[in-house]
Amino acid sequence: MMQRIKKVCIKFANLFDFIFSILLIKIIHLRKTIIKDKTLLLIRLDSIGDYILFRNFLSVIKSYSKYSEYKIILCGNIRWKDLAETFDSNNLETFIWIDRRKFRINPFYKYQILKKIYHIGFEIAIESTYSREILFGDIIIKASKAEQRIGSTGSPENYSRWKRRLFSDKFYTKLIPLDEKNIFEFYRNKEFIQKLLGTYIHIEKPSIDVSQINLNLPVKNSFIIVAPGAQEKSRRWNIKNIITVIHYVLRRYEYNIYIVGSHDDSELANKITKEISSKRIIDLTGKTNLGQLAKLISKSELIITNDTSAVHFAAAVNTPFICISNGKHFGRFNPYPREIDIKGTYIYPPYIENNFINFEKLTEEFRFLSRININEIIVDKVIEKIDMMLRR
């Protein structure tokens, strides 16, 4: 009952937010602005891993004949600010950073962002995210009042598709139709950009060039990285299991172990260091920016992680990884397709592992959600993969 009431409250809150945002935009649009030639707003407000699977296409957009002389401004999620500013500034004029939480709960902050975007006077605005969000990217598209407002038809979740059709598809001057088949997100981004530009793109995998990043490591020995966190609790393998795995690695191998993650993962790191007293464990949670994290991962012998952005960092810098996943977004964000040359392996709960031969069925069953308990994955399975990867 309480769950149902909570869902109803969220729906009303979202509706109120939408109506309020439209009113704000109407107020902002009362003052006319001048459209500036050759200005392009690119909107990307999803998570860190999503951005890694998109960012290589920025150079394609910038070098394309139509947009080569455009001033391209990226409106992005502030969570990956240092990643984009470190590696992608050469393909962009500048950035507009958005704190998603403040954008939702702080009316003055939202007003300032939308007003800034409108008064720049963009000629073209592109919402490149497949999972279009009405209260974020779509609202920004409407606020921009650009001459051309381009997006995709969006992901096919029933609970969001009808809302987009009813409320926000009309904010766009052009919607690019995308294949509704469940495909890996890197290929989805490639499909969108190819249709946007009308040309084939030869980029085959995500990559990050970390050669210019300086990194002062606390120790010089070879090391393994462990990333114990994840945004959603359902995608976090039990910390006791992770501690058992770390105990094993310390006993069996001579590697040091770096614990990485955001400030939010510091509590998990503290549980590990309190349980295991060893100078070979170094807690780096919240102590590196994303550029440094990419470099750190590139130097690692192996990374053991939940299904988080760490997987995509590892794939982009060609580091071996073991990803522990409950299968959520199977086929879209995990696993990496075989034809993409990576050194990673995935461990899923028994139901998924036992039905892997029916890959297409799994891509449909777990396309949007997985209710399988990630802790059905046993420690011995992870240890077996560790031995396999390190002996390789």
Side-chain angles (χ1 to χ4, degrees):
M1 183 65 179
M2 290 300 296
Q3 193 71 17
R4 189 178 299 174
I5 293 172
K6 184 179 178 180
K7 287 182 178 179
V8 171
C9 290
I10 290 173
K11 287 179 180 179
F12 273 108
N14 288 342
L15 180 60
F16 175 80
D17 191 358
F18 177 76
I19 294 171
F20 177 76
S21 297
I22 296 300
L23 289 174
L24 269 186
I25 292 169
K26 286 184 179 296
I27 293 170
I28 291 167
H29 285 177
L30 288 175
R31 183 179 175 183
K32 290 186 178 181
T33 193
I34 298 172
I35 299 294
K36 298 175 181 64
D37 291 341
K38 297 186 177 180
T39 53
L40 190 158
L41 175 67
L42 190 59
I43 302 165
R44 196 83 205 183
L45 295 173
D46 40 12
S47 298
I48 298 168
D50 303 73
Y51 182 69
I52 293 172
L53 293 172
F54 172 78
R55 55 169 295 278
N56 291 109
F57 300 110
L58 290 171
S59 61
V60 178
I61 297 171
K62 179 62 180 175
S63 61
Y64 184 63
S65 56
K66 180 178 178 180
Y67 300 128
S68 60
E69 296 182 4
Y70 272 68
K71 292 182 178 180
I72 303 175
I73 296 177
L74 177 62
C75 178
N77 186 340
I78 201 168
R79 285 177 61 88
W80 38 263
K81 178 178 184 286
D82 52 349
L83 177 65
E85 291 186 347
T86 299
F87 297 108
D88 302 319
S89 293
N90 58 324
N91 291 312
L92 300 161
E93 181 73 16
T94 188
F95 302 88
I96 297 173
W97 295 113
I98 291 184
D99 182 318
R100 287 174 59 98
R101 183 175 179 275
K102 287 173 68 175
F103 194 79
R104 282 297 304 269
I105 68 172
N106 187 327
F108 182 73
Y109 177 82
K110 176 179 285 189
Y111 173 78
Q112 291 296 324
I113 291 289
L114 297 180
K115 180 182 176 183
K116 178 179 181 178
I117 289 170
Y118 170 62
H119 284 298
I120 289 175
F122 289 100
E123 178 188 336
I124 302 172
I126 301 172
E127 161 58 297
S128 61
T129 315
Y130 182 52
S131 293
R132 278 176 36 215
E133 297 175 284
I134 295 174
L135 298 176
F136 290 95
D138 288 356
I139 284 294
I140 291 170
I141 278 286
K142 181 172 178 61
S144 74
K145 213 173 184 180
E147 289 182 347
Q148 298 178 52
R149 301 181 298 280
I150 305 169
S152 74
T153 46
S155 55
E157 300 98 323
N158 290 330
Y159 62 84
S160 58
R161 172 188 275 182
W162 71 267
K163 296 175 187 176
R164 291 196 300 262
R165 287 177 174 174
L166 179 63
F167 295 112
S168 62
D169 279 359
K170 59 190 174 184
F171 297 165
Y172 294 81
T173 60
K174 180 181 180 181
L175 289 173
I176 297 173
L178 299 180
D179 191 338
E180 291 194 358
K181 183 180 178 181
N182 189 17
I183 63 174
F184 191 60
E185 190 74 355
F186 177 81
Y187 293 149
R188 180 69 69 194
N189 290 323
K190 185 174 181 177
E191 177 192 18
F192 177 78
I193 301 301
Q194 284 181 160
K195 289 187 174 182
L196 172 71
L197 304 181
T199 186
Y200 180 77
I201 297 170
H202 294 279
I203 299 173
E204 301 300 332
K205 62 172 288 187
S207 62
I208 300 175
D209 180 5
V210 296
S211 58
Q212 301 304 312
I213 302 298
N214 293 320
L215 182 66
N216 296 317
L217 299 178
V219 292
K220 295 182 180 179
N221 297 354
S222 297
F223 60 91
I224 290 171
I225 290 175
V226 175
Q231 284 188 8
E232 301 169 31
K233 189 176 181 180
S234 62
R235 294 199 291 176
R236 256 181 252 150
W237 201 42
N238 192 298
I239 193 65
K240 292 181 180 179
N241 293 339
I242 294 174
I243 289 170
T244 302
V245 166
I246 292 174
H247 266 301
Y248 174 82
V249 172
L250 290 174
R251 288 197 311 270
R252 185 69 182 273
Y253 300 97
E254 295 182 358
Y255 298 112
N256 289 321
I257 294 177
Y258 288 171
I259 312 297
V260 303
S262 67
H263 287 288
D264 297 336
D265 300 318
S266 296
E267 185 178 342
L268 294 172
N270 286 336
K271 288 181 180 179
I272 293 170
T273 53
K274 284 181 180 179
E275 186 70 24
I276 307 175
S277 179
S278 173
K279 292 181 180 179
R280 289 166 58 195
I281 299 177
I282 299 98
D283 176 13
L284 293 181
T285 53
K287 297 172 185 174
T288 63
N289 62 38
L290 294 179
Q292 293 169 331
L293 178 61
K295 181 77 169 188
L296 186 73
I297 290 174
S298 75
K299 297 288 187 181
S300 179
E301 299 295 325
L302 173 69
I303 178 165
I304 305 165
T305 177
N306 295 312
D307 188 6
T308 68
S309 62
V311 172
H312 304 296
F313 273 113
V317 298
N318 209 29
T319 291
F321 67 82
I322 295 172
C323 175
I324 303 163
S325 172
N326 76 338
K328 183 178 180 181
H329 294 312
F330 190 92
R332 181 176 176 186
F333 290 103
N334 68 90
Y336 268 71
R338 289 181 180 178
E339 65 270 16
I340 294 183
D341 183 23
I342 60 164
K343 299 177 180 178
T345 187
Y346 289 80
I347 304 175
Y348 296 101
Y351 175 83
I352 297 178
E353 295 271 348
N354 295 337
N355 286 280
F356 222 78
I357 193 170
N358 299 314
F359 192 87
E360 293 300 322
K361 177 178 178 292
L362 293 175
T363 63
E364 292 307 312
E365 187 172 354
F366 300 106
R367 180 173 188 172
F368 305 119
L369 186 66
S370 172
R371 289 192 169 89
I372 300 179
N373 187 345
I374 193 172
N375 293 305
E376 290 182 19
I377 298 170
I378 61 173
V379 168
D380 287 349
K381 188 73 173 177
V382 177
I383 287 175
E384 177 186 330
K385 290 288 186 181
I386 290 171
D387 287 339
M388 182 187 75
M389 298 291 280
L390 292 180
R391 287 171 183 168
R392 180 189 300 174

